[in-house]
Amino acid sequence: MFNKDFIFGVATASYQIEGSTNSDGRVKSVWDVFAEKKGKIADGSDGKIACDSYLKYRDDVKALAELGVTSYRFSVSWCRVIDENNKPNQKGIKYYQNLCRELLDFNIKPCVTLFHWDMPQWIEDKGGFLNDDIVDYFKFYTELVTTSLKGLVYDYITINEPQCILFMGHDACQFAPGTKYTDREMLRAIHNLLKCHGMAVKVIRKNVPNSTVGFAPCSRPAVPSDRDNELLERKCYEKYFECKFEEEYANKVSIYSDPVFLGDYPKSYYEEFKGYHPNITKEDLELISQPVDYIYQNYYSGNYYSLDSSNNLVMDKYYFGYPEGNIDWLQVVPETLYYGPKFLYERYKKPVIISENGFCNNDNISLDGGVHDPERIDYLRRYLLELDRVSKVADIRGYYVWSLFDNFEWSSGLRKRFGLIYIDYRNGNRIKKDSFYEYKNIIKNRGVKW
Ligand code: GAL
């Protein structure tokens, strides 16, 4: 069971839930523009209305209160609070102040993500993360948010999933903005993104005494298929943190997290990317490794590994009919929440918070009017039991379900549902799924009773 200070929360992100994309002076984000392009979003949907949370935030907060969460992780949209001349937009700021006040009225702590992918298009047009000025833009934005939300917000996450921003957005190109980087550009963008993070930490510390800060990468841990084999576990650890010039290197862990937590890129980075990586100064590394409070991490799935007869690590194949969600990368691997946090804690030695975890399913309204989602319930239970287990060997401080409600699942569109609350997109109606009540019970009991 988790102790009384353990954070139980849920997470969302601005573009995925807010809607009202043309209201109150909001400017276009890269996701508005991407969604307008034919064929980029699987079901042709976009975030124009989504969960309509910009207008219905009071209802959302009531649902959060009923659920019993102690923290709500949401993101501020850069596009709402700053205009195309890089000037503050008071109407946008007001929205987040109101939301925070509402949350605090119900004793729910706001946990603010500064950047959950909705980069203003006008900044992207100036080069986005390839433009060295991005650090100043992000600094200005962070100054604005932290001063505007003074006295309301004490928990900040700088950047959500750098891997998705850079790998999915600029290598696989399945996410906005969808422009392919060369390797040199990718490495420069990674470095600039990390500098944005460090700069934001500095600003938050200056403006918000007593704050907590972190950044929230994602990863897919290498999970030992045999819990009792120490050599296998060691090799999985090494695999998880390896930094190699190979496909999908921008999707890995240590290339982002080593500089943040350990003050430098892994040794192998300098060997592997020789001639490709940008000039990296001592000052840069100092900025990037500003002390943070937590290791946040988004976890959904992992890969099992075994040792072959020569003790080489080999990835297992999922058997036919393996349990999975209805999005292609979401295999049910509960030990993800054991080995992932264990490995992170071992390497970076800070308390861990799971900033996202959840399940995507074909949820429908049943004949009785309810939305029954036993697979999601089973997923949450299995994962939380593993988290409970690892909390005996690592310092685990919190857990956020992705997500409060179904929302705009990026290039998969509105069709893919991750919520504890169902959204009927025909009329905006919200229906609490069975998993909502299950999570409510889990929170009440401080864990899964099994
Ligand atoms: C994460 C992301 C969220 C959400 C979730 C489910 O990668 O941070 O915004 O979409 O995955 O796919």
Side-chain angles (χ1 to χ4, degrees):
M1 293 298 116
F2 298 98
N3 67 33
K4 65 171 188 13
D5 298 322
F6 185 86
I7 301 160
F8 281 106
V10 286
T12 62
S14 46
Y15 187 70
Q16 295 180 275
I17 66 159
E18 286 176 356
S20 299
T21 47
N22 289 320
S23 305
D24 294 338
R26 178 187 178 279
V27 299
K28 275 196 177 183
S29 77
V30 292
W31 273 97
D32 296 274
V33 174
F34 192 71
E36 279 164 14
K37 293 186 186 151
K38 227 177 157 247
K40 297 293 183 196
I41 310 299
D43 60 3
S45 62
D46 53 44
K48 285 199 185 98
I49 301 176
C51 312
D52 213 5
S53 205
Y54 189 69
L55 300 176
K56 295 184 177 167
Y57 72 91
R58 285 200 175 84
D59 295 341
D60 301 347
V61 175
K62 276 200 196 93
L64 289 163
E66 182 184 340
L67 189 57
V69 292
T70 49
S71 171
Y72 175 46
R73 177 183 173 217
F74 62 93
S75 74
V76 168
S77 168
W78 198 339
C79 301
R80 275 197 203 284
V81 299
I82 286 183
D83 70 14
E84 282 172 348
N85 301 311
N86 210 27
K87 295 274 174 302
N89 172 20
Q90 291 307 329
K91 283 186 178 162
I93 293 169
K94 193 102 211 113
Y95 168 69
Y96 295 106
Q97 291 171 332
N98 289 341
L99 170 60
C100 291
R101 288 202 183 100
E102 196 76 12
L103 286 165
L104 292 169
D105 278 351
F106 286 90
N107 275 324
I108 301 165
K109 283 180 87 183
C111 173
V112 166
T113 309
L114 288 170
F115 184 63
H116 200 126
W117 309 357
D118 44 355
M119 166 90 76
Q121 182 62 45
W122 68 270
I123 297 185
E124 183 61 33
D125 291 341
K126 293 181 192 287
F129 284 107
L130 282 184
N131 180 350
D132 296 345
D133 292 343
I134 190 74
V135 184
D136 288 330
Y137 284 122
F138 201 63
K139 179 178 181 208
F140 180 75
Y141 166 60
T142 308
E143 286 278 0
L144 179 69
V145 174
T146 48
T147 48
S148 307
L149 301 181
K150 215 178 177 85
L152 300 170
V153 176
Y154 294 92
D155 300 320
Y156 280 98
I157 294 175
T158 57
I159 296 178
N160 181 71
E161 297 193 354
Q163 289 89 347
C164 277
I165 299 164
L166 295 178
F167 174 73
M168 291 298 282
H170 295 281
D171 185 359
C173 295
Q174 289 162 20
F175 282 4
T179 38
K180 183 101 176 163
Y181 284 164
T182 63
D183 291 313
R184 275 197 184 82
E185 288 173 334
M186 182 59 88
L187 293 158
R188 190 156 120 235
I190 291 176
H191 197 60
N192 278 342
L193 179 145
L194 291 173
K195 282 165 72 176
C196 288
H197 157 78
M199 184 54 85
V201 177
K202 266 183 117 161
V203 173
I204 295 164
R205 296 293 190 208
K206 169 174 74 74
N207 289 344
V208 197
N210 302 321
S211 57
T212 72
V213 195
F215 88 141
C218 56
S219 56
R220 217 184 148 89
V223 173
S225 57
D226 173 358
R227 293 195 107 120
D228 299 320
N229 186 330
E230 267 178 41
L231 178 67
L232 172 61
E233 183 173 327
R234 211 44 16 233
K235 293 210 167 183
C236 284
Y237 172 97
E238 281 156 18
K239 178 88 201 158
Y240 186 42
F241 292 110
E242 98 190 338
C243 177
K244 273 192 173 165
F245 199 168
E246 60 181 12
E247 258 182 72
E248 301 200 13
Y249 63 84
N251 209 13
K252 295 297 199 79
V253 180
S254 60
I255 199 165
Y256 301 95
S257 291
D258 275 21
V260 167
F261 294 106
L262 304 179
D264 203 349
Y265 289 94
K267 229 203 209 136
S268 60
Y269 169 95
Y270 294 99
E271 294 149 14
E272 294 274 330
F273 298 106
K274 199 165 178 221
Y276 286 88
H277 68 71
N279 181 34
I280 294 161
T281 65
K282 211 170 124 249
E283 291 72 38
D284 291 350
L285 292 171
E286 260 167 39
L287 177 66
I288 292 169
S289 60
Q290 294 295 303
V292 293
D293 300 281
Y294 298 124
I295 306 167
Y296 285 103
Q297 194 82 189
N298 299 348
Y299 280 128
Y300 290 85
S301 189
N303 296 316
Y304 289 110
Y305 281 85
S306 303
L307 294 177
D308 67 11
S309 52
S310 323
N311 277 340
N312 293 318
L313 197 63
V314 276
M315 202 203 285
D316 297 355
K317 285 206 172 75
Y318 299 104
Y319 57 80
F320 293 119
Y322 190 87
E324 58 184 0
N326 78 340
I327 201 159
D328 55 6
W329 47 266
L330 190 43
Q331 291 75 29
V332 180
V333 181
E335 300 91 330
T336 296
L337 280 203
Y338 181 86
Y339 289 100
K342 182 169 194 263
F343 291 163
L344 288 175
Y345 185 66
E346 246 179 80
R347 189 174 184 90
Y348 301 127
K349 302 183 175 52
K350 294 229 177 246
V352 178
I353 294 182
I354 309 304
S355 31
E356 287 180 24
N357 176 238
F359 191 69
C360 184
N361 211 8
N362 281 324
D363 302 308
N364 298 310
I365 306 173
S366 287
L367 208 48
D368 63 7
V371 178
H372 308 300
D373 54 344
E375 294 87 356
R376 182 171 290 103
I377 290 178
D378 192 61
Y379 175 100
L380 294 177
R381 285 183 182 158
R382 286 178 190 271
Y383 275 64
L384 273 163
L385 285 169
E386 289 292 340
L387 191 67
D388 199 358
R389 188 169 174 168
V390 75
S391 65
K392 316 281 183 287
V393 293
D395 187 358
I396 313 290
R397 300 282 179 91
Y399 171 88
Y400 291 83
V401 170
W402 184 270
S403 177
L404 175 61
F405 27 46
D406 299 334
N407 56 47
F408 178 73
E409 179 48 31
W410 308 114
S411 54
S412 301
L414 293 170
R415 201 166 148 205
K416 299 290 177 186
R417 297 177 179 274
F418 270 93
L420 299 176
I421 299 176
Y422 179 92
I423 306 266
D424 186 339
Y425 293 111
R426 292 171 301 184
N427 46 33
N429 286 353
R430 292 143 187 244
I431 303 171
K432 291 170 186 128
K433 301 180 193 176
D434 290 354
S435 57
F436 178 93
Y437 297 102
E438 170 70 13
Y439 190 45
K440 183 178 170 166
N441 263 327
I442 291 175
I443 297 173
K444 204 172 89 216
N445 297 327
R446 315 294 314 156
V448 177
K449 278 201 167 160
W450 195 248

